[in-house]
C-alpha cells in the first residue's frame, strides 16, 4: 500500500514539481472537494471517480 507521502513524492517527480508544490496542490484539492461536498455538489473527475454525499 502506498502512503500519502509516497504518493505525493511520485506526483512531484512525475510532474517536475518540488515536493512542497505537490503537497500544496493536494491540500487545495482536499479543501475544494470537501467544501463542495458539504454544499451538496456532485464532483466527477474523469478517469478518477465521482464524489458525492448521500443520506444513510
Amino acid at each position: 500500500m502506498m502512503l500519502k507521502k509516497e504518493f505525493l513524492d511520485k506526483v512531484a517527480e512525475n510532474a517536475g514539481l518540488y515536493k512542497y508544490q505537490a503537497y500544496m496542490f493536494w491540500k487545495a484539492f482536499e479543501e475544494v472537494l470537501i467544501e463542495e461536498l458539504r454544499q451538496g455538489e456532485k464532483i466527477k473527475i474523469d478517469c478518477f471517480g465521482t464524489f458525492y454525499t448521500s443520506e444513510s
Side-chain angles (χ1 to χ4, degrees):
M1 176 170 59
M2 181 180 285
L3 300 175
K4 180 178 171 181
K5 182 189 179 316
E6 296 166 323
F7 176 77
L8 291 176
D9 288 348
K10 281 200 168 243
V11 168
E13 181 181 325
N14 288 351
L17 301 172
Y18 292 109
K19 290 178 185 180
Y20 177 76
Q21 291 171 308
Y23 172 78
M24 292 305 296
F25 167 80
W26 185 260
K27 186 175 175 185
F29 175 82
E30 285 180 322
E31 289 173 2
V32 170
L33 182 68
I34 290 167
E35 181 59 32
E36 293 302 312
L37 291 173
R38 282 185 179 147
Q39 293 179 17
E41 294 293 329
K42 186 174 186 179
I43 302 161
K44 182 175 190 256
I45 302 173
D46 291 337
C47 300
F48 191 69
T50 302
F51 302 87
Y52 58 92
T53 57
S54 65
E55 302 272 335
S56 57

